Amino acid sequence: MNLDLVKYSVFLTVVVLLMNPSPSFPPVQKEVDFNELSETFLKKIKAGQDTGEIREALENTSLEDLEKGLSTDAEKLAFWINIYNGYIQVILTENPKRYEDRRSFFAADQIPIAGRKISFAKIEHGIIRKSQWEYGLGYIRKWFPDKFERKLRVEERDFRIHFALNCGARDCPPVAIYEPARLDAQLDKSTARYLERTTEYQPETKTARVTSLFNWFRGDFSCKKGVKEILVDYGLIPTSKGVDLTYKNYDWTLDLDNFIDI
């Protein structure tokens, strides 16, 4: 082969490499740990730090990535409880007057997730409670839940979520940071702690005064019989037989920044 031709070929190769120092590949998308993101969200809120970057990441993710990243009920519950509790703190700290009309507040689409805005009601009743009708007392499912809800909701309802969700009221459970690996133990602790604080048993009349949550979501607890069995399981009444239940008034006074370690 002609030596000059070889030299010219090498020269052209070097020029091309210098003009294109690295091959062009599409950027590698790093898989997001949504549970870790939700935990960091609450940690930053608790510490009084800015959460803008996390909120932006949540808004810009896709429904498909969210569905893929939350594949078990433990992952779903831990994530959505943290998101619900976190956004209650963020939104009501910025504008506490919105809490004066609670029905409108909880129904408003205001939480930016996966390219859309959703409501607190969507998270609680649609995703965490598996498409329950908000006013159905835990007995009536929604007829036509949307795709977002169907893709992200839990497979099985867990009554203990009622003692983990914090809606901003004084009588709500305190805010803990929930993790999938520890979720079962954490929910047990939060339930035991909340019921111990809110339950009053009067042995002389065999009457238990309990939180209104048991009344509002009675189907989630398998009715009064189920409530009594729960109270027995947590050592708050001696027997489920012959015990009457009365429901306490709920204190809706706004009470933010109520955190606890569980």
Side-chain angles (χ1 to χ4, degrees):
M1 180 181 288
N2 188 298
L3 185 59
D4 289 338
L5 183 59
V6 172
K7 290 180 179 180
Y8 183 68
S9 298
V10 172
F11 172 75
L12 286 178
T13 302
V14 171
V15 170
V16 170
L17 289 174
L18 288 173
M19 294 178 64
N20 300 278
S22 60
S24 179
F25 295 113
V28 176
Q29 295 291 332
K30 183 179 179 182
E31 192 169 303
V32 178
D33 186 328
F34 289 106
N35 286 108
E36 184 179 341
L37 197 65
S38 74
E39 294 160 24
T40 304
F41 183 42
L42 275 179
K43 289 175 183 176
K44 284 182 173 289
I45 293 170
K46 185 177 180 181
Q49 298 173 354
D50 181 71
T51 60
E53 188 175 332
I54 292 175
R55 286 188 275 170
E56 184 178 354
L58 291 168
E59 181 177 9
N60 292 332
T61 192
S62 67
L63 172 59
E64 292 73 24
D65 286 343
L66 202 54
E67 181 186 13
K68 180 181 177 182
L70 303 171
S71 59
T72 68
D73 273 6
E75 290 171 346
K76 293 173 185 177
L77 286 177
F79 174 81
W80 288 110
I81 291 171
N82 289 343
I83 294 301
Y84 183 104
N85 290 347
Y87 268 102
I88 285 287
Q89 301 296 314
V90 169
I91 294 172
L92 290 178
T93 296
E94 293 175 353
N95 191 354
K97 286 189 176 181
R98 296 195 59 192
Y99 201 62
E100 294 173 4
D101 185 352
R102 291 190 299 273
R103 177 170 292 187
S104 295
F105 172 73
F106 291 119
D109 292 329
Q110 57 188 315
I111 302 168
I113 299 278
R116 71 210 70 199
K117 289 187 178 181
I118 62 174
S119 66
F120 288 104
K122 167 74 79 177
I123 295 175
E124 179 178 4
H125 308 299
I127 297 174
I128 293 178
R129 296 181 62 228
K130 197 181 179 182
S131 298
Q132 287 293 308
W133 181 43
E134 184 176 354
Y135 304 107
L137 303 175
Y139 299 122
I140 304 173
R141 292 279 301 275
K142 291 182 182 178
W143 285 10
F144 303 110
D146 61 24
K147 178 181 178 181
F148 186 88
E149 195 170 304
R150 295 194 310 271
K151 291 284 188 180
L152 299 176
R153 67 190 178 190
V154 298
E155 293 295 325
E156 300 290 338
R157 282 190 287 169
D158 188 328
F159 72 83
R160 297 174 299 174
I161 60 95
H162 293 292
F163 311 117
L165 287 174
N166 179 291
C167 69
R170 182 170 293 165
D171 267 356
C172 284
V175 178
I177 299 173
Y178 291 93
E179 306 168 18
R182 300 196 301 127
L183 183 68
D184 189 61
Q186 285 182 301
L187 288 178
D188 254 346
K189 288 179 181 178
S190 60
T191 299
R193 185 181 185 280
Y194 186 81
L195 292 182
E196 184 177 355
R197 176 169 69 85
T198 59
T199 304
E200 299 174 10
Y201 179 63
Q202 300 168 338
E204 62 277 6
T205 60
K206 297 190 74 174
T207 301
R209 296 184 67 237
V210 297
T211 173
S212 291
L213 294 172
F214 282 135
N215 187 35
W216 298 336
F217 303 106
R218 62 193 73 169
D220 292 13
F221 302 105
S222 299
C223 309
K224 282 190 174 183
K225 180 181 179 182
V227 171
K228 294 177 187 179
E229 290 172 352
I230 291 168
L231 295 176
V232 170
D233 289 343
Y234 283 92
L236 297 168
I237 61 174
T239 179
S240 62
K241 295 180 179 179
V243 174
D244 291 324
L245 299 179
T246 61
Y247 303 102
K248 295 180 175 181
N249 291 329
Y250 206 76
D251 187 348
W252 287 99
T253 305
L254 185 60
D255 185 23
L256 300 176
D257 200 28
N258 180 18
F259 288 90
I260 189 173
D261 293 324
I262 291 182

